[in-house]
Amino acid sequence: RREFFRLAGGLLIPGAAGSLAGACGDASSAAGLSDGGGRQLPLQNVKAKVINTDEPLNRFEDITSYNNFYEFGTGKNDPQRYGGSLKTSPWTVKIDGLCNKPASYHLEDLIKDQQLEERIYRLRCVEAWSMVIPWVGIPLSTVLNPAEPQGKAKYVAFTTLFRPGEMPGQRTDALQWPYVEGLRMDEAMHPLTILADGLYGKTLMNQNGAPIRLVVPWKYGFKGIKSIVQIKFVEKQPPTAWSIANPQEYGFYSNVNPEVDHPRWSQAREKRLPSLFATYKTQMFNGYGDQVASMYSGMDLKRNY
Ligand SMILES: Nc1nc2c(c(=O)[nH]1)N[C@H]1C(S)=C(S)[C@@H](COP(=O)(O)O)O[C@H]1N2
Ligand SMILES: [Mo]
């Protein structure tokens, strides 16, 4: 609650995100740094480069109070309530596996201010709710290419921090820890795929996956793994947290598809938060089909749910 009031001080102007980022705040921040105690710092020089929707943005308050981040509990408000215990500075990300130049990076060396872009994306959760979020980040390919992946590398595997002392959900068996995710190499290198370190022009709140998380807008939200500490090039399709938990219900690809229902509910429609009614028609590939559908030509999209 305290976190919320500290943030509600008028910095956030829904709809003005494109121009907000460069306009607010002092010059003290480095890219991706929060102070480790949950206070959000302005991100400098964010380019409003790629706007992928003109739908209204969700309010900052929605985006930071209704979350899935099971490391802090399974309730939608648990991540906001308990996220403050995670220390996000210093933060190191290891990039390794099948590549010529494996390395560990301090976060501020991985993402540079000058590279930051704003990306306004729909986020569609497999639970049939959605939001529109003005992320700040960089294309994932920007950090993958310097590692020089080898020809054998066919997939990229991601791992969330495992630190049960700071993440109370990791002291339960809600999921197998640490949370893991994966992408095929072409999906990982796709220009729509980003690593986000901020939203609404400021560093991420812990509940949204601080200090750095994945965003893959044409896939269900659970592919967007939070609080990443390792990115690894691998040969075989890597295990993913939700398909480990329930392989009948959650697959590897998990592309948004209104024609393939979840075994327990329809995916044809979604509720656009804060609405409680599923009045919104879900779009194939969450509306990004023009850019991504060709990656799946020849694949049975019904099976690769
Ligand atoms: N480590 C980790 N990453 C995670 C999750 C999680 O529980 N743990 N939940 C996923 C799910 S189901 C969704 S819908 C999105 C939600 O992101 P948001 O809370 O920033 O909207 O995060 C994804 N990333
Ligand atoms: Mo989700």
Side-chain angles (χ1 to χ4, degrees):
R1 229 47 225 162
R2 231 179 343 145
E3 208 84 276
F4 173 82
F5 286 118
R6 262 193 282 163
L7 275 156
L11 281 163
L12 303 152
I13 308 158
S19 55
L20 179 70
C24 66
D26 57 67
S28 64
S29 81
L33 284 181
S34 80
D35 69 356
R39 194 168 59 87
Q40 297 343 108
L41 301 175
L43 289 161
Q44 304 298 312
N45 307 318
V46 178
K47 287 192 271 296
K49 226 173 159 180
V50 185
I51 311 291
N52 302 88
T53 175
D54 53 9
E55 292 166 34
L57 304 184
N58 277 92
R59 296 181 321 146
F60 183 84
E61 288 77 5
D62 299 332
I63 299 169
T64 55
S65 64
Y66 188 97
N67 299 97
N68 279 331
F69 199 171
Y70 278 22
E71 283 83 341
F72 297 108
T74 57
K76 292 291 183 260
N77 189 237
D78 288 347
Q80 181 183 48
R81 226 188 284 171
Y82 305 116
S85 55
L86 172 64
K87 199 169 170 293
T88 59
S89 176
W91 193 270
T92 305
V93 180
K94 196 201 284 178
I95 302 186
D96 65 349
L98 301 169
C99 61
N100 297 333
K101 300 197 166 149
S104 280
Y105 296 89
H106 294 297
L107 184 66
E108 52 275 32
D109 299 324
L110 188 70
I111 297 195
K112 307 264 170 50
D113 272 351
Q114 314 83 270
Q115 303 174 318
L116 293 176
E117 303 173 17
E118 181 167 77
R119 299 285 187 105
I120 298 176
Y121 285 159
R122 286 179 290 278
L123 180 143
R124 171 53 158 89
C125 177
V126 74
E127 298 164 333
W129 54 264
S130 65
M131 300 198 212
V132 178
I133 302 179
W135 300 108
V136 175
I138 62 171
L140 176 62
S141 62
T142 308
V143 309
L144 296 185
N145 283 324
E148 298 180 8
Q150 297 165 356
K152 273 183 301 181
K154 302 290 185 223
Y155 295 88
V156 183
F158 304 85
T159 307
T160 291
L161 178 73
F162 182 66
R163 200 182 283 163
E166 297 177 18
M167 297 172 125
Q170 290 181 337
R171 307 196 288 265
T172 75
D173 57 7
L175 285 172
Q176 183 178 295
W177 312 111
Y179 196 101
V180 287
E181 255 305 338
L183 294 172
R184 208 171 58 190
M185 189 64 81
D186 57 342
E187 299 175 322
M189 293 293 186
H190 192 281
L192 286 180
T193 302
I194 61 167
L195 284 175
D197 69 344
L199 62 84
Y200 268 118
K202 308 196 95 188
T203 53
L204 290 177
M205 302 283 295
N206 287 356
Q207 56 265 43
N208 293 109
I212 187 167
R213 60 91 56 84
L214 184 68
V215 180
V216 193
W218 70 94
K219 292 178 178 286
Y220 289 116
F222 62 81
K223 298 295 292 183
I225 182 174
K226 296 178 169 180
S227 304
I228 295 168
V229 293
Q230 187 184 16
I231 300 175
K232 185 175 186 176
F233 298 102
V234 297
E235 189 170 357
K236 300 227 166 72
Q237 182 178 298
T240 60
W242 277 100
S243 40
I244 294 168
N246 193 337
Q248 299 341 305
E249 298 191 350
Y250 306 101
F252 178 80
Y253 285 92
S254 298
N255 294 315
V256 174
N257 189 338
E259 289 163 23
V260 179
D261 288 340
H262 187 279
R264 291 181 281 132
W265 58 83
S266 167
Q267 295 291 26
R269 290 174 176 275
E270 65 202 58
K271 48 184 182 180
R272 176 61 51 83
L273 298 181
S275 165
L276 299 173
F277 302 101
T279 52
Y280 237 82
K281 264 189 155 170
T282 291
Q283 302 179 62
M284 188 65 196
F285 294 113
N286 203 24
Y288 302 96
D290 287 350
Q291 293 104 304
V292 305
S294 64
M295 287 193 290
Y296 308 101
S297 59
M299 275 176 72
D300 180 355
L301 296 175
K302 299 229 151 50
R303 280 201 53 243
N304 288 296
Y305 158 82

